[in-house]
Amino acid sequence: MSKQYNSYTKEFKKTIVALYESGKKVAELVSEYDLEKKLIYNWIKKYRKVKTEAGFTTNNDELLKLKKENMRLQEENEIMEIYTESKRRYGSPKIQKILASKGIRTSQKRVARRMRKLGIRSIVLKKYNYAGNKRVDDTNNPNLLEQNFKAIKTKEKWVGDITYIYIKEIGWTYLAIVMDLYDLKIIGYSYGKHMTANLVIQALNNAICNVGIEEGMIFHSDLRSQYTSNDYEKLLKTLTIKHSYSKKARLAIFEFIESWYNNKRIHSSLGYITPNEKERLYYEKIA
């Protein structure tokens, strides 16, 4: 009776294949070494010498290992490139989606393993914790959104926020932004050394210059003094924009603007596409 497949050493298997390549027939090898024909054909397939495109001689087993290693290196290079381009913010779910869009089929678990091996992971940046010192009377400041942050079209619901950015040379600086809730796109911003009403007014004017407005649209913000100032409220009223308010100040949630956020950052809430892609699909739909 023939031995079990796993009891044969790798050297023995290669010897049998070498005998076959030297001219021995499979039937002779079966008879001389008491082997099953199926085993011999499996070994031939695995260990028979083949020439690569580069002219090197190897066997199918080694060639398969080389292909797997090449695929691993390719995946790791792609993962590192996507991770670096995202400014180290993307984790395995988003990286896997981008790889799939490039035609690279892999699972989220494999991407996570590759990232652990590379010693990289998504970073979460701490933000300046804003806590207003003044108690604000919000009796006449309605929350029109009521936590409904979905929009069915552009220029329906905008939100504003201020991010605190520390610069070593000059201290705290401030970035005011305006985002359209339909596609999560940053449509206007203003940056400066002073957190004044003028900062948020400039951000709103920038957004209007970029995309325009629609009568009766909603602008949502927290109750910081910049957004509740007479100048800001007067501007919204003149533009027939309804002001909606959060009942308490939020932490700043934005730290970067147009170039990367709108064009390259994919959002799980948008079906893993970018804000610009979401906007383009919307206008194609209504055209």
Side-chain angles (χ1 to χ4, degrees), residues 231-279:
D231 288 342
Y232 201 78
E233 297 288 12
K234 184 178 179 181
L235 176 61
L236 292 180
K237 190 174 181 180
T238 301
L239 296 169
T240 65
I241 296 175
K242 299 173 185 176
H243 200 172
S244 172
Y245 309 82
S246 292
K247 293 303 180 184
K248 56 184 178 179
R250 297 179 294 121
L251 294 180
I253 58 170
F254 307 104
E255 79 170 308
F256 48 94
I257 53 180
E258 292 177 43
S259 61
W260 182 76
Y261 191 99
N262 289 338
N263 294 309
K264 296 183 180 178
R265 189 184 185 206
I266 60 175
H267 295 258
S268 57
S269 61
L270 297 180
Y272 291 99
I273 61 175
T274 67
N276 276 351
E277 288 173 323
K278 176 74 173 180
E279 182 183 47

Side-chain angles (χ1 to χ4, degrees), residues 112-128:
R113 287 198 302 271
R114 297 272 192 256
M115 291 181 72
R116 282 196 297 271
K117 184 181 176 185
L118 292 167
I120 59 176
R121 66 191 184 96
S122 173
I123 61 171
V124 178
L125 301 180
K126 291 183 179 180
K127 305 294 175 65
Y128 181 94

Side-chain angles (χ1 to χ4, degrees), residues 160-161 220-224 227-228 243-246 248-250:
D161 196 24
H220 185 80
S221 71
D222 56 37
L223 289 166
R224 276 182 265 205
Y227 291 115
T228 57
H243 200 172
S244 172
Y245 309 82
S246 292
K248 56 184 178 179
R250 297 179 294 121

Side-chain angles (χ1 to χ4, degrees), residues 149-275:
F149 294 105
K150 297 288 185 182
I152 60 174
K153 63 179 182 177
T154 61
K155 291 178 280 189
E156 177 189 6
K157 298 175 183 178
W158 287 359
V159 293
D161 196 24
I162 303 173
T163 294
Y164 299 67
I165 304 171
Y166 187 78
I167 306 296
K168 186 176 180 181
E169 293 78 9
I170 59 176
W172 286 104
T173 61
Y174 307 95
L175 174 67
I177 65 90
V178 177
M179 174 190 276
D180 191 316
L181 284 181
Y182 174 73
D183 49 18
L184 306 183
K185 184 173 181 177
I186 305 298
I187 52 177
Y189 62 89
S190 179
Y191 180 70
K193 293 189 288 183
H194 304 289
M195 191 168 63
T196 62
N198 191 51
L199 185 78
V200 294
I201 288 172
Q202 286 179 354
L204 180 61
N205 284 333
N206 183 260
I208 294 169
C209 287
N210 286 334
V211 299
I213 57 172
E214 290 189 8
E215 186 177 345
M217 62 182 289
I218 294 173
F219 180 88
H220 185 80
S221 71
D222 56 37
L223 289 166
R224 276 182 265 205
S225 61
Q226 294 78 20
Y227 291 115
T228 57
S229 67
N230 289 333
D231 288 342
Y232 201 78
E233 297 288 12
K234 184 178 179 181
L235 176 61
L236 292 180
K237 190 174 181 180
T238 301
L239 296 169
T240 65
I241 296 175
K242 299 173 185 176
H243 200 172
S244 172
Y245 309 82
S246 292
K247 293 303 180 184
K248 56 184 178 179
R250 297 179 294 121
L251 294 180
I253 58 170
F254 307 104
E255 79 170 308
F256 48 94
I257 53 180
E258 292 177 43
S259 61
W260 182 76
Y261 191 99
N262 289 338
N263 294 309
K264 296 183 180 178
R265 189 184 185 206
I266 60 175
H267 295 258
S268 57
S269 61
L270 297 180
Y272 291 99
I273 61 175
T274 67

Side-chain angles (χ1 to χ4, degrees), residues 29-118:
L29 295 170
V30 169
S31 176
E32 289 180 26
Y33 294 94
D34 190 25
L35 296 170
E36 293 180 8
K37 187 183 292 185
K38 183 180 178 181
L39 279 181
I40 296 174
Y41 280 120
N42 285 341
W43 297 345
I44 290 170
K45 183 179 179 180
K46 190 172 184 180
Y47 297 111
R48 189 176 188 178
K49 290 179 181 178
V50 292
K51 270 197 172 184
T52 66
E53 292 180 1
F56 297 107
T57 301
T58 183
N59 57 58
N60 284 325
D61 186 49
E62 293 300 323
L63 193 59
L64 184 61
K65 287 179 182 177
L66 287 171
K67 285 181 178 179
K68 284 183 177 179
E69 178 66 10
N70 186 53
M71 187 180 297
R72 180 186 67 80
L73 291 173
Q74 245 184 334
E75 281 185 3
E76 289 181 357
N77 285 338
E78 288 286 349
I79 288 169
M80 184 59 78
E81 184 178 331
I82 295 166
Y83 176 76
T84 303
E85 194 171 88
S86 76
K87 304 184 190 299
R88 301 186 295 160
R89 293 184 181 93
Y90 281 0
S92 57
K94 288 184 177 178
I95 290 178
Q96 187 272 329
K97 292 290 182 182
I98 294 177
L99 289 173
S101 72
K102 292 183 174 184
I104 301 172
R105 297 180 61 185
T106 186
S107 67
Q108 183 186 329
K109 287 183 178 180
R110 180 185 287 181
V111 173
R113 287 198 302 271
R114 297 272 192 256
M115 291 181 72
R116 282 196 297 271
K117 184 181 176 185
L118 292 167

